[in-house]
Amino acid sequence: MIPLRDNAAPRRLTPINSALIAANIAVFVYELSLGERVTAFVGRFAMVPAAVTRALSAGALAWHEPAAHRTLDALAPLMTTVTSMFIHGGLWHVAGNMLYLFIFGAAVEYRMGASRYLIFYFAAGIAAALATVWIAPESGVPVIGASGAIAGVLGAYFILYPRGRILTIIPIFIFVQFVEIPAVIYLLVWFAVQLYAGLEAGGRAGAMGGVAWWAHVGGFMFGIALGPMLAVNRPRRRR
């Protein structure tokens, strides 16, 4: 199912959501410009669960190190829970993520306001990253992409706009169907797919690469829990 638009957002281009999309695209263009050096770039800024596990375990001791650079070195893997959100592995990866952010993010930002939405987005991305670490704490496979944070946006949308409707493309063999699906149904199906895939893969998905299913599950649940707490505006009725 490919979403085209929703009927809940009063404005499609909101400042923070648009800025996040622009930032992700800008980083991806920069990745393309690096050529063969992109491997080193990804290695530096992608999140590696095993490195985050070690950083969390040694975090309390790191603050007592006499040399400041040692403290920063010890905490550096924790920063990758943020930097990894802006790195993507290919055109379809970034395009799919930005499409979902464009469709669902504007309505959520409208309800939260710009500053709260920005905080929420990063918090959801960090929560999704930590969910991946929890499932595969010893994995050495780099994790990249904004899908965990976007899953948080979807979770918030699910709660804030239960009557929303999503215009969706459903390819059936050589035919294309345009169907308007209730947001609750669309997002429940999306979440069920993520949960089933995560349960089917167990910890193997995190340890061997592929789609970070548990990041999607963790981000979505985080959005459901925190989204209503940050909502400050009433949705505008639309025909």
Side-chain angles (χ1 to χ4, degrees):
M1 297 188 299
I2 305 172
L4 283 181
R5 67 169 183 265
D6 77 316
N7 70 338
R11 291 178 298 162
R12 180 55 51 199
L13 298 177
T14 53
I16 297 301
N17 202 59
S18 299
L20 289 170
I21 293 172
N24 276 278
I25 293 175
V27 172
F28 181 69
V29 171
Y30 177 69
E31 288 179 58
L32 295 178
S33 72
L34 291 175
E36 296 181 355
R37 295 175 295 163
V38 71
T39 303
F41 176 79
V42 172
R44 180 178 179 183
F45 294 106
M47 187 200 73
V48 178
V52 174
T53 300
R54 290 192 295 269
L56 290 173
S57 300
L61 297 177
W63 287 108
H64 297 90
E65 291 286 342
H69 71 276
R70 293 181 183 177
T71 299
L72 294 175
D73 288 344
L75 297 179
L78 300 181
M79 295 302 299
T80 62
T81 60
V82 175
T83 58
S84 61
M85 297 181 204
F86 294 92
I87 303 174
H88 291 84
L91 178 60
W92 292 115
H93 189 199
V94 67
N97 279 347
M98 293 307 102
L99 174 63
Y100 269 77
L101 186 56
F102 178 73
I103 298 299
F104 294 96
V108 176
E109 181 179 346
Y110 170 73
R111 288 296 306 274
M112 293 184 179
S115 58
R116 291 190 180 197
Y117 178 70
L118 181 63
I119 295 170
F120 168 79
Y121 181 88
F122 282 107
I126 293 171
L130 294 179
T132 303
V133 173
W134 180 62
I135 290 297
E138 299 304 321
S139 172
V141 178
V143 178
I144 58 175
S147 57
I150 296 169
V153 173
L154 300 185
Y157 191 104
F158 178 78
I159 294 296
L160 297 176
Y161 294 99
R163 297 183 180 180
R165 302 185 72 85
I166 311 300
L167 181 63
T168 306
I169 298 177
I170 302 180
I172 303 176
F173 299 107
I174 62 173
F175 302 101
V176 175
Q177 297 290 326
F178 293 86
V179 182
E180 197 172 60
I181 301 175
V184 290
I185 301 300
Y186 187 101
L187 294 174
L188 278 176
V189 170
W190 181 90
F191 179 72
V193 170
Q194 314 307 308
L195 182 60
Y196 174 81
L199 292 172
E200 183 70 18
R204 298 193 306 275
M208 300 177 63
V211 179
W213 303 112
W214 289 107
H216 301 171
V217 172
F220 190 84
M221 296 302 296
F222 181 88
I224 286 178
L226 193 62
M229 299 172 61
L230 295 179
V232 294
N233 298 321
R234 293 183 179 181
R236 182 181 303 172
R237 290 184 178 272
R238 299 188 66 192
R239 292 184 180 180

